[in-house]
Amino acid sequence: MSEGFSESIESLPTGVLEEMYVTMLKIRLFEEKVAERLYEKEIICPVHLYVGQEAIAAGVCQNLNIDDYVFSTHRSHGHYIAKGGGLKELMAELYGKETGCSKGKGGSMHLVAPEVGYMGSSAIVAGNIPLALGTAFSGKLLGNGKVSVAFFGDGATDEGVFYECLNIASLYKLPIIFVCENNLFSTHLPISMRQANPDLSMKVKANSIPFVRVDGNDAVAVYNTARKMIEKIRNGEGPAFIECMTFRWLAHVGPTPDLDVGYRKKKDVEYWMERCPIKKIRSVLTKKKDYSSRKLDDIEKRLKKEVEESFEFTKASNYPNSQNLLRHAINTESEVIQ
Ligand SMILES: Cc1ncc(C[n+]2csc(CCOP(=O)(O)OP(=O)(O)O)c2C)c(N)n1
């Protein structure tokens, strides 16, 4: 299925594979903890889990520098973690604590970590795409060599602004990579019930933007494709588009498997779970001559501890006090209150 650049996995350095594996497992373990806390109703902000899609954030972000720009969506944890955002600040944000990355005022859908180039997530479907276009414009004008990344779901391709952004990015040859995570549904509707022609490639190519579709559960395919595209973007060749075919394992929002809703079949979910992106990269890694499965166990132990520490940190943190409620917000005169 993959039309991506599928170089032999042997040619990928073990270090790169291991780093992607660590990122993916960190996202998975973190979200498993979050799911547990959601069931307990300890976390009460709306949470859109990324379980099943980890290879996309890891494969793309593995190619980025810390000062490249990433813009994310309501399904934000994977991109935040893959770009280097701190787990403690993320967990604290989900609990609304003042030590959270958005000072406890944003919740899961409004994360930010500019110190690592994670410029923010937005709950407005497709709303992050013009924002990424903005940093791409600045990158072009300043000639600073930075690349902007817009991650979005297939639902964003239903929006008019998506098409406007494709046009402008192409017209001005902006340094931006569009990453569509096509998990086959926008909430409960498949793309075939939303668009007359569900084939995205034609729409992207109509704007003269290079398009590649890859298996989004294969971190190596995502990595290789994004690497080639980002190299060209840095060389001034303008935007590129990668469509990553994938599937979310859990409900649109919240921690349940949501099979009772009736919009997807148990056997489809099982099919995709069989094609677990983490299982896949683990099997690639263990085929490397110089890699031992003991190392994988050590990584898992270390990451579980890191997740546990983020939880302890959150428990020990305070909620914002009432005097600070308007800090870091915009007042009625449109001034940012420090
Ligand atoms: C402009 C806008 N329209 C509708 C919504 C309601 N909404 C929230 S998430 C979502 C589905 C988005 O699907 P997709 O972009 O494919 O991302 P996924 O949830 O599959 O990751 C919708 C329609 C919204 N937040 N913003």
Side-chain angles (χ1 to χ4, degrees):
M1 179 267 277
S2 175
E3 296 164 17
F5 303 99
S6 52
E7 276 169 20
S8 78
I9 46 173
E10 288 75 30
S11 67
L12 262 194
T14 307
V16 170
L17 282 171
E18 184 180 286
E19 280 177 28
M20 288 197 289
Y21 173 69
V22 168
T23 301
M24 291 163 71
L25 190 61
K26 194 194 272 195
I27 298 169
R28 178 72 60 90
L29 293 172
F30 179 85
E31 289 207 323
E32 281 175 355
K33 182 78 180 178
V34 170
E36 180 193 303
R37 298 291 105 194
L38 281 164
Y39 274 118
E40 293 301 318
K41 298 205 175 3
E42 248 182 46
I43 295 175
I44 53 169
C45 73
V47 172
H48 303 76
L49 295 170
Y50 194 60
V51 177
Q53 302 185 204
E54 297 89 345
I56 303 168
V60 172
C61 291
Q62 185 67 29
N63 290 289
L64 300 178
N65 301 323
I66 191 162
D67 58 355
D68 287 323
Y69 301 114
V70 160
F71 290 83
S72 169
T73 67
H74 54 286
R75 204 172 298 289
S76 57
H77 308 163
H79 312 129
Y80 170 97
I81 292 172
K83 192 64 174 62
L87 281 198
K88 287 180 177 160
E89 294 78 7
L90 176 54
M91 188 67 94
E93 189 56 40
L94 303 187
Y95 276 79
K97 296 289 182 87
E98 65 181 4
T99 51
C101 62
S102 302
K103 316 282 182 212
K105 296 169 190 171
S108 169
M109 291 187 278
H110 304 101
L111 309 176
V112 67
E115 67 283 2
V116 293
Y118 182 89
M119 305 311 287
S121 30
S122 167
I124 309 297
V125 171
N128 62 332
I129 304 176
L131 300 180
L133 205 70
T135 54
F137 237 127
S138 86
K140 170 105 181 180
L141 291 175
L142 298 170
N144 59 19
K146 295 185 192 181
V147 168
S148 295
V149 183
F151 286 103
F152 50 90
D154 50 290
T157 72
D158 300 344
E159 302 286 342
V161 72
F162 165 72
Y163 297 93
E164 295 174 44
C165 290
L166 291 183
N167 174 53
I168 294 294
S170 183
L171 181 67
Y172 293 113
K173 285 198 175 312
L174 298 184
I176 180 168
I177 177 163
F178 298 94
V179 183
C180 178
E181 307 195 24
N182 188 346
N183 62 13
L184 311 182
F185 290 94
S186 172
T187 50
H188 303 146
L189 277 186
I191 198 165
S192 57
M193 290 177 73
R194 311 184 327 255
Q195 295 191 21
N197 180 350
D199 180 0
L200 257 184
S201 69
M202 298 171 68
K203 302 165 196 181
V204 175
K205 288 176 189 165
N207 284 281
S208 309
I209 295 178
F211 171 96
V212 177
R213 178 176 295 132
V214 295
D215 177 355
N217 284 20
D218 180 347
V220 174
V222 175
Y223 171 82
N224 279 333
T225 304
R227 181 164 58 87
K228 301 225 159 134
M229 286 180 162
I230 289 169
E231 251 169 46
K232 289 185 175 191
I233 292 170
R234 287 200 205 281
N235 282 338
E237 292 183 33
F241 194 110
I242 175 169
E243 181 185 25
C244 303
M245 303 309 296
T246 188
F247 200 75
R248 75 174 143 71
W249 290 11
L250 300 171
H252 167 67
V253 59
T256 65
D258 89 341
L259 286 170
D260 52 321
V261 183
Y263 69 101
R264 54 188 196 169
K265 296 194 176 74
K266 186 159 177 265
K267 71 171 174 42
D268 293 334
V269 180
E270 284 169 354
Y271 168 83
W272 283 93
M273 287 176 80
E274 252 318 289
R275 302 172 73 250
C276 171
I278 295 182
K279 209 159 75 181
K280 184 160 185 127
I281 193 167
R282 199 187 279 137
S283 78
V284 172
L285 207 42
T286 48
K287 277 191 201 110
K288 287 272 189 184
K289 285 192 285 295
D290 54 344
Y291 215 76
S292 88
S293 55
R294 233 194 84 203
K295 218 165 167 200
L296 294 178
D297 294 341
D298 291 347
I299 289 171
E300 188 155 343
K301 227 181 274 166
R302 173 167 62 79
L303 291 177
K304 279 187 171 159
K305 188 161 168 275
E306 210 182 310
V307 171
E308 209 43 55
E309 284 168 359
S310 76
F311 187 61
E312 296 308 323
F313 170 85
T314 297
K315 288 273 162 190
S317 298
N318 294 319
Y319 290 106
N321 68 35
S322 56
Q323 280 102 41
N324 283 342
L325 275 181
L326 286 179
R327 284 191 73 206
H328 311 106
I330 309 283
N331 75 7
T332 46
E333 278 81 45
S334 294
E335 289 164 7
V336 176
I337 304 170
Q338 297 298 330

